[in-house]
Amino acid sequence: MRKHIVAGNWKLNNTLDQGLALASEIANMVADEVTNGTEVVLGTPYIHLAAVQKLTQKTANIHIAAQDCSTHESGAYTGEVSAAMVASTGAGYVIIGHSERREYHNESDEMLATKINMALKNSLTPIFCCGESLQIRESGTHENYVCQQITESLFHLSANEFKNLVIAYEPIWAIGTGKTASAQQAQDMHKAIRNHIAGKLGNAIADTIPILYGGSCKPTNAQELFAQPDIDGGLIGGASLKSRDFVDIVKSF
Ligand code: PGA
């Protein structure tokens, strides 16, 4: 059975105190409630990573993620944070290629391939984001488009490297819009992604890769989404900022 993962993406929200309060509420709920072994990931701003890691390290199944990392290892790159620095906080994951980074920071497929290499080299699990705009969805080319994103940024990896990835499918038209992909639309894309990976690396690898859905996932729709055979969890933005909502999503399997 594939790992179930529910990852929160706090984006540009929460001061350090607010982030610690949120993480502490989530950790208490995860410790006290039945979560069926679902892995919980908190994607915090860089400056929160070490403190949130320290606060949650004793709670089983909680891990910390950065929301990005640099393409560079070190040097004169003001404002950048390297994968090694992220790993040194105790974080186990890093989100790579979120559509907001692709759009607002012009992150190309090629740049994302480098970030993936940096993450893997530093033993971080990348959560690689892919997804199409509304225009591409309406033109009917969405499956090709997303598979191409995966080819460009991930298909240089060996099978052994690929096994360490998590993929998040996030249709851009569903992010923060309150408009969710239907469970069937999400399942169809997840299946297409898995088939694409199988075509390159075989079923044995494709069947082990967790593929998360992201885009207005909430306690009210998580259960239906997570019941799909190729949906292994969620990448949660807005609803990850409220402890009760987030943990209810965690408990949706
Ligand atoms: P949302 O964001 O849950 O607020 O739609 C998801 C994401 O961007 O990761």
Side-chain angles (χ1 to χ4, degrees), residues 82-103:
S82 71
M85 292 171 188
V86 170
S88 75
T89 67
Y93 286 84
V94 57
I95 299 169
I96 304 272
H98 191 280
S99 58
E100 288 151 17
R101 302 257 2 139
R102 291 177 188 260
E103 186 180 345

Side-chain angles (χ1 to χ4, degrees), residues 9 11 98 100 170 174-177 214-217 235-239:
N9 176 10
K11 307 189 181 183
H98 191 280
E100 288 151 17
E170 299 203 300
I175 295 177
T177 57
S216 300
C217 185
L235 180 55
I236 319 297

